Structures are given as C-alpha cells and as structure tokens.
Amino acid sequence: MISLLARLFIKPDPAREEPETRRAYGVLCGIVGICLNVLLFAGKFLAGTLSGSIAITADAFNNLSDAGSSFVTLVGFQLAGQKPDSEHPFGHGRMEYVSGLAVSVLILLMGLELGKTSIEKILHPEPVDSSPLIFAILCASILVKLYMFLYNRRLGKKLASPAMEATAMDSLSDSVATAAVLIATLVGRFTGLEIDGWCGVLVAAFILWSGINAVRDTLDPLLGTPPTHEFVQRIRDLVMAHSTILGIHDLIVHDYGPGRVMISLHAEVPANEDVLALHDEIDNVEKELREKLGCDAVIHMDPVVTDDGVTEETRRRVQTLIHCIDDAIDIHDFRMVAGPTHTNLIFDAVVPFGFRLTDQEVEQKIRSAVRALDGNYYAVVNVERSYT
C-alpha cells in the first residue's frame, strides 16, 4: 500500500532535493500510521468493552498513543524538511531525531502504564469473555502492525531515518503485545486460567525494552556520534586520490541531520609547492566532496617537509618508538625546530578514548623515548583524541 501511495503522491523528480524527498515519505508514512492506528484503536476498544479484558483495552489505548506517535513523526519530518534560515543556518534536520526521541519516550510511557494496569489485573483477576469477533479483531491487528513494522523498517533503512526505525520498533512491540493478549484470551477461553494480567506484564517488559533501545538510537545522534568507518574511508579515498595531498588527519564530521553533513579536516601538502596551486587543488577537493558525498567541507592545509631526509627519517623513528609504548598512538603535524643548544620535535599524538594512560603519562613517556633517541632532542607534544 505504501508503495502504491508513494507512486501516486510522490512523483519522481530529478530536481527534488533529498530533504524534500525525506519529508514527502515521512509525511506519507505519518498519515498512513495515524489512519491505521485510529482504526485499530476503535476495533480493540470495542473488543475490550465486549470481553471485559483489561489487556485488550490497554492495547487499544496503546494504539491510540501510536496515532499520536505518528502525528509526532509527521510533524518532525515537516519541520526537518524546512530550509535553513537566519536563526538556523544549518537547517532543521535534527528535528527528525527529536521526533524519533519523542516517539521513543511515548513507547516507554505506554510500557509503564501497561505494566501498572497488568499488575492490578494480577491482584484482582476477573474472567475474560471471548467471541470469534474478538479473535478476528486481534488477528487483524497483529497483521496490520506487522505490515507497519515492515514498511517503516524498509523506509527507515532506505532513508537512514532514526524516527522511522523507532516507529518500526514500536509497531513490532505492538504486534507482540497483541499476540500475547490473543494467547491469554485463548488460554482463558479453553482452560479457564486467568493469565490476562501476567501476559500484560510480559508485554509491558518487552515494550520497555524496545523503548529503551529506541531512546538510545535516537538520542545518540543528538549528542553526537562518530561517523561510520565506511563514510570515513570514502572521504579518505576521495581526498587521497589527489596526488598533491600526502595525508589527512583531524577529520571531524558534523551531523546536522540527515542530508546535512559538514566535514573539516587537515590535508598534508608539500611545503615546497606553490601555495596558490595547492589552494586551487584544495578547492577542487572541497567541491568534489560536496558533489560526490553531499557534504560541505572545510580543509586546512598543513605543509609537510618532503625534501629534507632528516625530518622524515626522524619522524619515522619517533613513530616507531611511540608504537613501542602502544600501537594505538599515532602522530601527525611533525616538525623539527633546531636551536643552538637543542632541537624541538613538535607534533600531535592521537590516543583513543578510554586509553589506559593519562595524557600526562603519555606526554612523559613520549618525552623520555625522544630523549633516549637523541640527547639533544626535546619533544613538544600535544595529546589529543580522534573524532572518528
């Protein structure tokens, strides 16, 4: 159904920008989600009223909250698709993450409410009536929710949308919850055992688990996560394809929402080349990153001495010594500044987060290693972390 509606209402347009396409799919899925969840609420509320089952009634209101979640997703995609303005020069893309977080919080609230209602049912059990109509409504609800899970997951992966993936998990939770309610109803009908409340507790636990995972998945992009290894490698391959660039470091990826990515990096270039020619080459790299990866880039040139055998040989020897301290430490921006009494070796040392040594211990060990290499060498070290 979603594919048919997409063909009807989202016409292929080569000139359409990615944020606009995302918004169109988000709005379409939001409207379909609202309609389906309202229908499910009406059917389950009728079934719960007729049967007297607190689990079915609670499941009905769970679907009503899902309609609210779909509305939040719809609004989130509408806001995220707005163009940058003077107050938000980087666009509104993160509103999609915010809407996904709102959906996740609603999942948690419904899990808590369902758990509370189920415990009350355990303490005060009541017989549950059933009929073929109630079974039909519950089975139809499971099938609809599984369908919603599949199309939200498919589009969530296609558009890399945390909001849609959170909605997909919510739909899967609902299908499991309804299946548990159906099982409890069948058991009560054929055995007389009143397990309505116990099934509700299990369903609530599953919903809470799904909600916690959804919160984590939507909160991480808001706090800031490192880019994927594949994306970093694509950047590295594209930049290093230019022969005048000898290496890159200090790569930072700034994520302002899907389709709105900025990157900054330091490019090592030969110090003896013409600066204007190098600047032109850097401009070409920035343009290529924008055209091929869809991200704006800011590149800082770092001159590297390439015609001085002493500097390069010393850098290799220092790197070897530092790897003896720990293979995880890398260096860049290596320079040698000679003086009348000693030579300063100036460079940055990159260590991973959670490293076993403190920054001060790393500095001290590197200084000692450099002094052991040559008594006239002094290391001026800046210890930093990688953002990738």
Side-chain angles (χ1 to χ4, degrees):
M1 183 176 70
I2 286 291
S3 299
L4 175 61
L5 292 174
R7 285 195 296 269
L8 291 175
F9 295 105
I10 306 177
K11 303 296 183 182
D13 184 359
R16 185 196 296 268
E17 296 182 2
E18 182 183 356
E20 294 179 359
T21 301
R22 295 177 64 84
R23 177 168 60 176
Y25 274 104
V27 170
L28 176 61
C29 291
I31 292 174
V32 171
I34 291 172
C35 295
L36 291 177
N37 280 309
V38 169
L39 289 174
L40 290 176
F41 164 73
K44 288 183 184 177
F45 186 75
L46 174 64
T49 302
L50 293 175
S51 66
S53 169
I54 189 66
I56 296 178
T57 303
D59 203 22
F61 280 97
N62 186 24
N63 289 138
L64 185 62
S65 75
D66 292 339
S69 299
S70 296
F71 178 75
V72 170
T73 302
L74 186 153
V75 173
F77 272 96
Q78 281 281 41
L79 294 175
Q82 295 183 78
K83 294 185 180 298
D85 53 40
S86 58
E87 295 182 351
H88 306 92
F90 299 106
H92 304 75
R94 285 180 177 171
M95 283 302 301
E96 188 177 324
Y97 300 149
V98 174
S99 67
L101 180 61
V103 171
S104 304
V105 172
L106 286 174
I107 295 173
L108 290 175
L109 291 176
M110 286 308 306
L112 291 172
E113 185 61 29
L114 180 57
K116 176 184 174 182
T117 306
S118 300
I119 291 174
E120 292 175 353
K121 186 72 172 181
I122 293 173
L123 297 176
H124 306 286
E126 296 177 0
V128 176
D129 295 330
S130 59
S131 68
L133 175 62
I134 293 170
F135 292 135
I137 291 174
L138 293 178
C139 290
S141 174
I142 293 172
L143 294 175
V144 170
K145 278 297 181 177
L146 285 175
Y147 168 71
M148 294 176 69
F149 161 71
L150 291 173
Y151 80 69
N152 276 299
R153 185 182 64 170
R154 179 171 59 84
L155 288 177
K157 292 183 179 299
K158 176 182 178 181
L159 302 177
S161 169
M164 282 190 175
E165 292 183 7
T167 302
M169 286 306 302
D170 188 22
S171 297
L172 180 61
S173 299
D174 291 341
S175 65
V176 173
T178 305
V181 171
L182 177 61
I183 292 171
T185 305
L186 288 171
V187 170
R189 178 182 177 87
F190 294 108
T191 68
L193 295 176
E194 297 175 355
I195 62 171
D196 191 36
W198 292 104
C199 284
V201 169
L202 293 176
V203 170
F206 181 81
I207 291 175
L208 287 172
W209 175 78
S210 300
I212 291 172
N213 287 333
V215 166
R216 184 195 62 214
D217 292 340
T218 54
L219 188 59
D220 282 348
L222 289 172
L223 295 176
T225 55
T228 63
H229 173 75
E230 292 77 16
F231 187 62
V232 171
Q233 192 59 47
R234 289 179 67 191
I235 294 173
R236 187 178 299 277
D237 291 343
L238 192 152
V239 175
M240 293 302 296
H242 295 256
S243 59
T244 54
I245 297 179
L246 306 177
I248 67 171
H249 56 267
D250 287 344
L251 171 63
I252 303 176
V253 178
H254 310 266
D255 183 359
Y256 293 99
R260 294 177 175 87
V261 176
M262 296 184 66
I263 66 173
S264 60
L265 60 91
H266 289 206
E268 298 172 358
V269 296
N272 59 344
E273 294 284 339
D274 179 69
V275 67
L276 293 178
L278 291 172
H279 185 271
D280 183 65
E281 186 70 7
I282 292 297
D283 283 345
N284 291 334
V285 176
E286 291 175 342
K287 180 181 178 182
E288 194 172 346
L289 286 167
R290 181 168 55 253
E291 292 175 348
K292 294 185 177 181
L293 300 185
C295 52
D296 293 324
V298 177
I299 300 179
H300 170 77
M301 290 192 300
D302 273 341
V304 176
V305 176
T306 58
D307 55 355
D308 177 7
V310 175
T311 300
E312 179 58 25
E313 176 61 25
T314 304
R315 188 198 67 79
R316 282 198 294 266
R317 294 173 66 190
V318 169
Q319 179 70 83
T320 300
L321 287 173
I322 291 176
H323 279 170
C324 291
I325 300 172
D326 198 296
D327 285 336
I329 305 176
D330 285 318
I331 64 172
H332 59 76
D333 281 348
F334 188 90
R335 291 178 290 142
M336 296 182 67
V337 180
T341 60
H342 66 278
T343 298
N344 284 334
L345 307 186
I346 306 171
F347 55 90
D348 295 337
V350 184
V351 300
F353 286 99
F355 193 57
R356 58 185 178 82
L357 301 175
T358 65
D359 290 359
Q360 292 76 16
E361 290 172 335
V362 171
E363 266 186 70
Q364 184 57 46
K365 286 183 175 293
I366 290 177
R367 287 199 184 103
S368 299
V370 169
R371 290 285 290 171
L373 178 64
D374 190 312
N376 291 323
Y377 286 164
Y378 286 84
V380 181
V381 187
N382 174 46
V383 179
E384 60 181 30
R385 301 293 186 278
S386 172
Y387 291 98
T388 59

